[in-house]
Amino acid sequence: MKTWNNKAWFMVLPVLALVAFSAVIPLMTVVNYSVQDTFGNNVFFWAGTEWFEEVLASDRFWAAMGRNLAFSAIILAIEVPLGIFIALNMPRRGWGVPVCLVFMALPLLIPFNVVGTIWQVFGRIDIGLLGRGLYALGLDYNYVNDPIDAWVTIILMDVWHWTSLVVLLCYAGLVSIPDAYYQAAKIDGASRWAVFRYIQLPKMHRVLLIAILLRFMDSFMIYTEPFVLTGGGPGNTTTFLSIDLVKLAIGEFNLGEAAAMSIIYFLIILLMSWVFYTVMTNYGTEKG
Amino acid sequence: MARIELNHIRHSYLPEPKSDADYALKRVQHTFEDGGAYALLGPSGCGKTTLLNIISGLVHASEGRLLFDGRDVTALPTEARNIAQVFQFPVVYDTMTVYDNLAFPLRNRRVPEDLVDRRVREILAMTGLEHRARRKAQGLTADEKQKISLGRGLARSDVSAILFDEPLTVIDPHMKWALRTQLKELHHRFGHTMVYVTHDQTEALTFADTVVVMFEGEIVQIGTPEELFERPRHTFVGYFIGSPGMNLLPAAIDGAAARVGGQSIALPGRPGPLAGQRIELGIRPEFVRLGRQGMPVAISKVEDIGRKKIVHAELEGQAIAAIIGEDAEVPAEPHVIFDPAHLNLYADSWRVDMEGRP
């Protein structure tokens, strides 16, 4: 028989208190707003699920959601293969290693709003290197007026900012592979593709899972960089959920709807992350 | 199957080797005959693995040429050499099944699938891995992993040679013996040229017909296990092979006798002129007779190792070992006699011939 000592619960108290202040209480405030309505004077009425129904029925919400999903899909489709490709081609030994690592880490060290500003200036057609350059080449590029150009610029910016993360994680996975594997593969006559498929990819599998999860969550929550670059425009073409949420909460001061939207937004990210995680951890083991 | 010729092979891992000390392999000139079972024996860092990797093409020698059946393969990459190699630490592709692991080297070379199947089944039976064939190669013991590695090495029947780089290091002792016997059997059945690298003399002596002993990047002796034991060409071979190794006593030559301290030992023949060199007399502990006659020694320790006893003693201030039977008595005033038929003479570590004896 095990002796149960309930005093052990006291040990958990400090953590509980911390989590309560950092997560539970703020979250509950949002929940609180989401089920009430007010006409001012700090008087609240019970609204039930009205706000949720309103959010889920609004075209504006679904349009922003569609843009978010499209954005995450596009940047994952670019950054993951590109990151793997760069990691595979980075040197394994010699002076090139620290040089490459530092260059790769640089974009990750820049604050988000600075990244937005850099690209905002970079893309300007009057003084920006990119905008001016494309203009000189005779291309009709203008991220302020043209939705496609705005999207291309935002995606380029995200790829520039975050591919390094995928590269560094993959590289860490790659350098952990002992030389003996490559030697054995040579003896076995494995092609370049077979080496990648059966040696390198399985070894990168775990870190790649982390990279994809991080990139998905981060890109789904993207706010600062497009806000600085385009402010959600032209029109609403680059208005992502987070930008829309801020407009709703602070711009229109529609607290109830914004709170309901936050909760939906949060649940979606939680669900997606769980799906990704389950799929990727089960991949490769279920057939065994 | 092929005859492998190493023609003045030298190798250095440094970009610009200057002296002999910069070379991991100093001038290797040797031929592995077609269908032979060879052991490359030597201590860690003597260049065994380098030599093996040069044969398989994982390392390209700095100098010299490599020929398979007279065909120059020096510049060919590993894939083009048709060599199988098993490494010290097991390599298993763990996203594949055990079956696919064994089929991998065959499929990579576009062997027809029915042939692959037949061959893989043979290997599975041989290694006793049939019950795991369809399972992913994950969560295996070190033994099983190394069996898969070995199996992949043996899968191709048309290889020029199979190279083993200390393949049984990670395997349990009883399993080691069984696998080694199997390898030997395979060698008899298929007649592949096999080169087996090890630092374990028992492993080398039981596996190979010919043992190649390496020391500091050089081949010091090539011979049958018996030759290595009876007539070590280099003091290193005498010391490395046998347990304990050969006794080596600094000596001076006086006609057909050797002087060790105040003792004079008759040699079986008269050595040639050996001016100004470091002379040593070598005698294996097995051929040192302990008794009441001969040269007086002072015994320091007697080790009982089961069926035999090892006697450590001092002769004229030099440590010497003798092996005696487990029931043999150690006399109160011990003396030793060296069996003259098994005396070897070394000048600067290399064996010198004596007249009237090979």
Side-chain angles (χ1 to χ4, degrees):
Chain A
M1 274 296 282
K2 247 183 179 168
T3 14
W4 291 92
N5 188 346
N6 282 320
K7 277 181 199 154
W9 287 107
F10 288 111
M11 303 288 195
V12 194
L13 269 180
V15 177
L16 214 63
L18 263 176
V19 174
F21 275 102
S22 68
V24 181
I25 294 173
L27 191 67
M28 285 321 289
T29 344
V30 176
V31 173
N32 207 21
Y33 282 130
S34 74
V35 291
Q36 299 185 72
D37 197 359
T38 180
F39 297 109
N41 292 335
N42 232 8
V43 185
F44 286 89
F45 310 91
W46 174 254
T49 57
E50 265 174 47
W51 288 126
F52 290 92
E53 284 160 31
E54 196 161 314
V55 169
L56 291 175
S58 86
D59 293 339
R60 178 175 158 180
F61 173 76
W62 289 110
M65 169 80 100
R67 283 190 284 272
N68 253 30
L69 288 174
F71 178 72
S72 291
I74 292 171
I75 64 106
L76 280 179
I78 297 174
E79 287 173 17
V80 172
L82 184 65
I84 293 175
F85 178 77
I86 295 174
L88 285 175
N89 287 294
M90 266 168 68
R92 298 288 153 74
R93 44 181 74 87
W95 58 268
V97 176
V99 174
C100 282
L101 287 178
V102 167
F103 269 106
M104 280 295 143
L106 272 181
L108 298 175
L109 300 174
I110 300 172
F112 294 17
N113 55 347
V114 176
V115 172
T117 313
I118 290 174
W119 281 80
Q120 206 256 351
V121 176
F122 188 45
R124 280 176 67 159
I125 44 169
D126 50 353
I127 53 165
L129 189 63
L130 176 73
R132 195 80 194 142
L134 289 174
Y135 181 77
L137 287 174
L139 287 167
D140 183 22
Y141 167 87
N142 187 343
Y143 72 82
V144 182
N145 295 332
D146 188 312
I148 305 251
D149 290 351
W151 268 79
V152 168
T153 315
I154 290 180
I155 287 164
L156 267 179
M157 174 175 68
D158 200 78
V159 168
W160 175 83
H161 193 183
W162 288 111
T163 305
S164 298
L165 182 78
V166 183
V167 172
L168 293 177
L169 284 167
C170 287
Y171 186 72
L174 281 175
V175 292
S176 73
I177 303 175
D179 269 351
Y181 277 82
Y182 295 113
Q183 295 184 337
K186 270 191 194 167
I187 297 284
D188 291 336
S191 59
R192 184 70 196 83
W193 166 249
V195 170
F196 175 70
R197 172 70 188 76
Y198 297 111
I199 298 174
Q200 292 169 326
L201 199 57
K203 290 280 169 188
M204 282 193 291
H205 169 234
R206 297 230 150 249
V207 283
L208 213 51
L209 162 72
I210 295 168
I212 291 177
L213 258 179
L214 284 177
R215 280 318 299 132
F216 172 74
M217 288 191 296
D218 263 0
S219 65
F220 203 72
M221 299 188 297
I222 192 165
Y223 173 74
T224 318
E225 298 119 297
F227 181 76
V228 174
L229 187 69
T230 62
N236 272 332
T237 48
T238 58
T239 301
F240 296 110
L241 281 173
S242 56
I243 296 179
D244 204 27
L245 183 62
V246 173
K247 275 187 191 167
L248 203 59
I250 294 163
E252 300 165 23
F253 217 71
N254 200 341
L255 288 184
E257 197 177 343
M261 189 174 156
S262 301
I263 289 172
I264 294 169
Y265 195 7
F266 170 68
L267 290 178
I268 289 170
I269 289 182
L270 203 66
L271 176 77
M272 292 281 220
S273 301
W274 179 77
V275 169
F276 264 98
Y277 186 77
T278 325
V279 168
M280 294 200 67
T281 43
N282 287 345
Y283 169 79
T285 51
E286 61 200 18
K287 286 172 274 171
Chain B
M1 280 160 260
R3 182 168 179 269
I4 298 169
E5 245 174 284
L6 300 159
N7 210 332
H8 291 101
I9 294 282
R10 273 161 82 79
H11 185 73
S12 173
Y13 289 105
L14 304 173
E16 278 172 41
K18 286 178 188 80
S19 67
D20 253 12
D22 291 343
Y23 282 89
L25 271 187
K26 308 164 189 161
R27 218 165 285 108
V28 172
Q29 175 74 36
H30 179 60
T31 303
F32 292 103
E33 293 297 339
D34 185 9
Y38 293 88
L40 273 180
L41 180 66
S44 304
C46 74
K48 303 172 298 219
T49 301
T50 306
L51 186 58
L52 212 61
N53 288 346
I54 285 174
I55 297 175
S56 63
L58 294 173
V59 170
H60 286 270
S62 325
E63 291 165 38
R65 294 197 315 147
L66 182 69
L67 299 127
F68 286 5
D69 279 336
R71 196 167 59 97
D72 193 330
V73 296
T74 319
L76 288 185
T78 305
E79 303 86 275
R81 290 192 188 186
N82 205 16
I83 286 271
Q85 187 172 0
V86 180
F87 300 92
Q88 182 172 6
F89 295 103
V91 172
V92 169
Y93 307 113
D94 61 4
T95 51
M96 294 187 210
T97 62
V98 172
Y99 183 99
D100 291 338
N101 257 279
L102 297 175
F104 192 57
L106 297 168
R107 287 179 178 154
N108 283 333
R109 290 178 172 80
R110 315 220 177 282
V111 173
E113 201 56 27
D114 54 322
L115 227 74
V116 171
D117 188 61
R118 197 176 340 132
R119 195 69 196 150
V120 171
R121 276 173 205 290
E122 267 178 52
I123 302 285
L124 283 169
M126 196 188 306
T127 46
L129 288 168
E130 286 133 317
H131 62 292
R132 285 205 164 264
R134 295 288 163 196
R135 303 248 307 267
K136 279 258 164 81
Q138 283 168 353
L140 301 170
T141 63
D143 278 13
E144 289 170 321
K145 281 189 196 167
Q146 191 62 323
K147 279 187 187 170
I148 294 175
S149 281
L150 267 170
R152 274 208 321 273
L154 301 171
R156 285 180 286 145
S157 51
D158 61 335
V159 287
S160 305
I162 307 179
L163 313 177
F164 301 93
D165 190 356
E166 307 193 28
L168 304 180
T169 315
V170 293
I171 299 212
D172 273 353
H174 72 281
M175 195 53 141
K176 241 182 204 176
W177 190 83
L179 280 175
R180 205 162 52 223
T181 315
Q182 254 175 15
L183 286 181
K184 234 188 134 120
E185 213 180 281
L186 277 175
H187 178 250
H188 284 303
R189 243 174 80 201
F190 298 110
H192 286 122
T193 312
M194 289 189 177
V195 183
Y196 191 107
V197 162
T198 177
H199 60 246
D200 179 342
Q201 47 167 312
T202 333
E203 218 167 273
L205 300 180
T206 50
F207 174 81
D209 312 327
T210 310
V211 179
V212 179
V213 184
M214 292 189 65
F215 179 57
E216 290 184 342
E218 274 178 288
I219 292 179
V220 286
Q221 187 167 8
I222 301 161
T224 60
E226 195 199 347
E227 283 168 350
L228 297 180
F229 188 77
E230 297 266 334
R231 286 183 294 281
R233 265 193 65 213
H234 190 273
T235 50
F236 171 76
V237 180
Y239 151 82
F240 197 68
I241 294 190
S243 173
M246 182 180 259
N247 295 304
L248 290 164
L249 305 162
I253 297 301
D254 187 6
R259 263 190 296 108
V260 175
Q263 303 290 336
S264 178
I265 300 157
L267 296 172
R270 178 187 284 271
L274 303 163
Q277 286 167 314
R278 194 161 47 85
I279 310 293
E280 284 165 298
L281 192 64
I283 180 89
R284 291 221 172 259
E286 287 82 353
F287 306 120
V288 177
R289 311 253 175 274
L290 192 68
R292 290 174 213 288
Q293 287 161 12
M295 300 169 282
V297 291
I299 290 175
S300 50
K301 194 168 72 178
V302 178
E303 282 175 310
D304 197 329
I305 54 163
R307 280 172 42 230
K308 289 177 200 153
K309 277 193 259 191
I310 302 172
V311 178
H312 295 277
E314 262 187 31
L315 168 69
E316 297 287 322
Q318 302 290 328
I320 109 162
I323 292 182
I324 58 173
E326 79 180 311
D327 301 323
E329 246 181 78
V330 179
E333 277 181 26
H335 290 69
V336 291
I337 297 172
F338 294 161
D339 185 341
H342 295 285
L343 278 174
N344 287 290
L345 198 61
Y346 296 92
D348 287 339
S349 301
W350 293 93
R351 187 171 181 274
V352 281
D353 287 339
M354 288 174 274
E355 263 171 52
R357 228 195 68 179

